[in-house]
């Protein structure tokens, strides 16, 4: 079993839709969770990080962590064509010296 | 302020050759990590250096080595290149050793082994 599982998609939505991206993880000791956005031929860009369970909002983006089910989500409201990218969920291992990434979900937002 | 800079951006090498990739972290950041990203997959951890000491190593063969210099820049070396080493190599910079608050990544070096 992979430590972080993420559906690779692709996910295609019309402009203005609400997007839900999801990951599961296996180790209940993981405490910090991140979402990165990666455009083609670029490095990942940190969108948000959260600690433990709960929600965190930043503009059109909301990150949600449910530690009881080991489930993390990223919601994008009013999606734009510029949101078309690969979204990676990630968590540092205990000790924090390495980050474990999901496979990434490719998102296409159609104008 | 400049972000994380990596060089070269692209290179093509022949099987069996050796390659050196370079990374300069954000000014003031003391930690540099290296990740390998194969097409269609998430980044895989190779090394982390903090204050010039290796703090962690991923599940990669001894052909992979790295070091961090007094100015906190870093090099990743790969010897005896295999076709399977073809990937995007990413350098990540952070202020501290723990990655709990995320990293700033460079744009990567795309290595093609033929």
């Amino acid at each position: 079993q992979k430590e972080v599982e993420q559906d690779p998609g692709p996910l295609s939505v019309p402009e203005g839709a609400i997007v839900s991206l999801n990951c599961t993880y296996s180790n209940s000791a993981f405490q910090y969770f991140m979402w990165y956005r990666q455009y083609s031929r670029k490095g990942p860009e940190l969108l948000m990080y959260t600690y433990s369970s709960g929600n965190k909002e930043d503009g059109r983006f909301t990150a949600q962590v449910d530690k009881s089910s080991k489930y993390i989500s990223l919601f994008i409201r009013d999606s734009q064509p510029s949101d078309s990218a690969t979204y990676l969920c990630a968590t540092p291992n205990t000790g924090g010296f390495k980050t474990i990434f999901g496979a990434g979900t490719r998102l296409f937002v159609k104008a | 302020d400049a972000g994380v800079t990596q060089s070269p951006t692209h290179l093509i090498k022949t099987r069996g050759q050796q390659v050196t990739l370079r990374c300069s972290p954000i000014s003031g950041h003391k930690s540099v990590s290296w990740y390998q990203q194969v097409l269609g997959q998430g980044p895989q951890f190779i090394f982390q250096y903090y204050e010039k000491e290796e703090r962690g190593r991923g599940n990669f063969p001894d052909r992979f080595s790295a070091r961090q210099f007094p100015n906190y820049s870093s090099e990743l070396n790969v010897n005896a290149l295999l076709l399977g080493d073809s990937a995007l190599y990413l350098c990540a910079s952070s202020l501290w050793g723990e990655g709990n608050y995320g990293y700033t990544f460079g744009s990567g070096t795309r290595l093609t082994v033929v």
Side-chain angles (χ1 to χ4, degrees), chain A residues 77-104:
Chain A
R77 291 183 298 280
D78 187 25
S79 56
Q80 303 295 310
S82 59
D83 295 328
S84 298
T86 296
Y87 289 80
L88 298 153
C89 59
T91 180
N93 67 328
T94 49
F97 63 85
K98 80 170 185 179
T99 293
I100 304 158
F101 287 85

Side-chain angles (χ1 to χ4, degrees), chain A residues 36-56:
Chain A
Y36 288 85
R37 176 176 61 195
Q38 186 173 24
Y39 291 114
S40 181
R41 302 184 182 279
K42 295 290 187 182
E45 171 196 10
L46 179 66
L47 282 175
M48 303 176 70
Y49 73 87
T50 55
Y51 172 71
S52 195
S53 282
N55 293 355
K56 185 174 183 179

Side-chain angles (χ1 to χ4, degrees), chain A residues 32 34 36 38 43-44 49 96 99 102, chain B residues 35 37 42 99-101 103 105-106:
Chain A
Y32 292 84
M34 294 93 187
Y36 288 85
Q38 186 173 24
Y49 73 87
T99 293
Chain B
Y35 286 79
Q37 187 175 26
N100 295 336
Y101 307 111
Y103 296 119
F105 281 89

